[in-house]
Amino acid sequence: MGRQIRPARVFKTVTQELTHEVLAGHVAAPPPWYQVLSDIPPAESIIRTVNPYHQTKRKATKPRDIYRPQNIKYPEDRLRATFYKDHPWELARPRVVIESDGKDARYCDWSKGLRQHGVALTGECVVQRQLYLMQTERMGRTKAYDKVRREFYRLRQAEEVENRVAIEEAKYVGAYFGKTRLDVGMQLEDQEFEKWKIWAGKEKAKRELRHNEDIGMFGAEVEEVEEALTIEEAAPVS
C-alpha cells in the first residue's frame, strides 16, 4: 500500500524529501513539476468527477451502472429474430464463416436480389435484402419480409430440385452415397428401442416375481390362521 498524500500537501512533502540527505554528497534533483506546483498550488481534490453519459431513468435520484456498457442494437437484429423464429431449421444448415479480406459484405448488391456472387443462400441474405428494401425502397417491414420470403422460397426450392436431380444422375452412373440423415436417425432410434425392450423385459420379470412372492406369502398366512382356528375348536372345553 502506498502513502496516502493529500493534494494540498504534495509540495510540502516533496520539499521535505529533497532537503533530507539520504546519501552523503548526493543532491536529489527536483522533479520537473516542482516549480510549477510551487507557483500554482493544487486544489483540495485532484480527482475529476465522472459525468454520467449513460441513459438513466428520470425518477432515479442516483445514477446506476455508470461504467457498464450499454446494449448494442442493430436494425438487423429484429429482422433476424423474426426470420429464424419462422424458419428454425435454417439454423441447422452448415455455413462457411470464413471471409476473404473481412470486407465481403461490401461486394454484395442487394438491389439485384438474394443471389449474390460467392455468397451461399442463407437467412442472412434474407435479412440484408429486407433491410435494403426498407431503407432504399421505403417498404414496410411486413411487406418487405413477404416479398423477400417469396424470393427465398423460390430459390431454396430450385436448390433442392437441383440437388435431387444431381443425386439421381450420380446414382444412375454407379455412385453410392451411403446412408442418408433419415436412415442414420432411424437406425439410432431402432437401437434405442431395442435397449428399451431389454430394460422393459427385465422390469416386467421383476414385477411378476414380486407379485408371485406376495401371493405366496398371503396364502401361507391364510393357512396359518386356519390351523390356529382348527386347534382352538378341537381343544376340550373345561
Side-chain angles (χ1 to χ4, degrees):
M1 296 295 292
R3 293 177 297 175
Q4 302 295 331
I5 302 176
R6 300 181 62 181
R9 300 186 58 185
V10 172
F11 180 77
K12 182 179 179 181
T13 305
V14 174
T15 303
Q16 293 178 357
E17 292 181 354
L18 292 175
T19 56
H20 185 270
E21 295 184 359
V22 180
L23 298 175
H26 178 74
V27 179
W33 45 264
Y34 181 76
Q35 188 61 34
V36 178
L37 194 64
S38 176
D39 299 337
I40 307 174
E44 182 67 21
S45 177
I46 60 175
I47 301 176
R48 294 181 298 175
T49 58
V50 179
N51 297 325
Y53 293 101
H54 293 257
Q55 298 177 0
T56 57
K57 297 181 180 180
R58 295 181 179 179
K59 296 182 180 180
T61 57
K62 183 178 180 181
R64 298 179 180 179
D65 301 333
I66 297 178
Y67 301 101
R68 178 178 296 179
Q70 294 182 348
N71 295 329
I72 301 177
K73 297 181 180 180
Y74 295 95
E76 298 92 334
D77 295 341
R78 186 178 179 183
L79 308 180
R80 192 177 293 111
T82 302
F83 175 80
Y84 285 111
K85 181 180 179 181
D86 297 338
H87 309 82
W89 283 104
E90 286 295 323
L91 294 172
R93 293 181 178 272
R95 291 185 57 184
V96 179
V97 296
I98 300 177
E99 297 184 354
S100 300
D101 54 357
K103 302 178 181 179
D104 294 359
R106 299 183 181 180
Y107 306 141
C108 298
D109 185 6
W110 298 110
S111 62
K112 298 181 180 179
L114 292 175
R115 184 68 70 183
Q116 300 292 326
H117 178 70
V119 179
L121 182 63
T122 59
E124 191 64 25
C125 299
V126 177
V127 173
Q128 297 299 329
R129 170 69 172 166
Q130 181 183 0
L131 185 64
Y132 172 81
L133 295 177
M134 293 172 58
Q135 294 179 349
T136 306
E137 300 186 8
R138 302 300 180 183
M139 282 190 182
R141 186 169 63 91
T142 305
K143 185 177 180 180
Y145 180 63
D146 292 339
K147 180 179 180 180
V148 178
R149 192 157 46 94
R150 286 193 294 268
E151 297 176 2
F152 176 76
Y153 293 159
R154 185 168 58 254
L155 293 175
R156 184 66 79 193
Q157 184 179 8
E159 282 187 354
E160 293 179 356
V161 172
E162 183 180 356
N163 293 335
R164 191 182 308 116
V165 172
I167 292 174
E168 292 178 357
E169 291 178 351
K171 288 183 177 180
Y172 180 77
V173 295
Y176 178 72
F177 295 95
K179 297 180 180 180
T180 61
R181 295 181 180 179
L182 183 60
D183 296 336
V184 174
M186 293 298 296
Q187 183 179 359
L188 295 176
E189 185 176 352
D190 293 340
Q191 292 177 1
E192 294 298 327
F193 180 71
E194 293 297 331
K195 293 180 181 179
W196 177 84
K197 285 174 61 177
I198 297 174
W199 173 83
K202 293 180 179 179
E203 291 295 324
K204 182 180 179 181
K206 291 180 181 179
R207 291 186 179 183
E208 290 180 353
L209 181 60
R210 191 181 303 112
H211 181 67
N212 295 333
E213 290 179 354
D214 294 340
I215 294 176
M217 293 177 61
F218 179 76
E221 292 178 356
V222 172
E223 292 179 357
E224 292 178 357
V225 172
E226 291 179 353
E227 291 179 358
L229 293 175
T230 304
I231 294 173
E232 291 180 358
E233 292 177 356
V237 179
S238 57

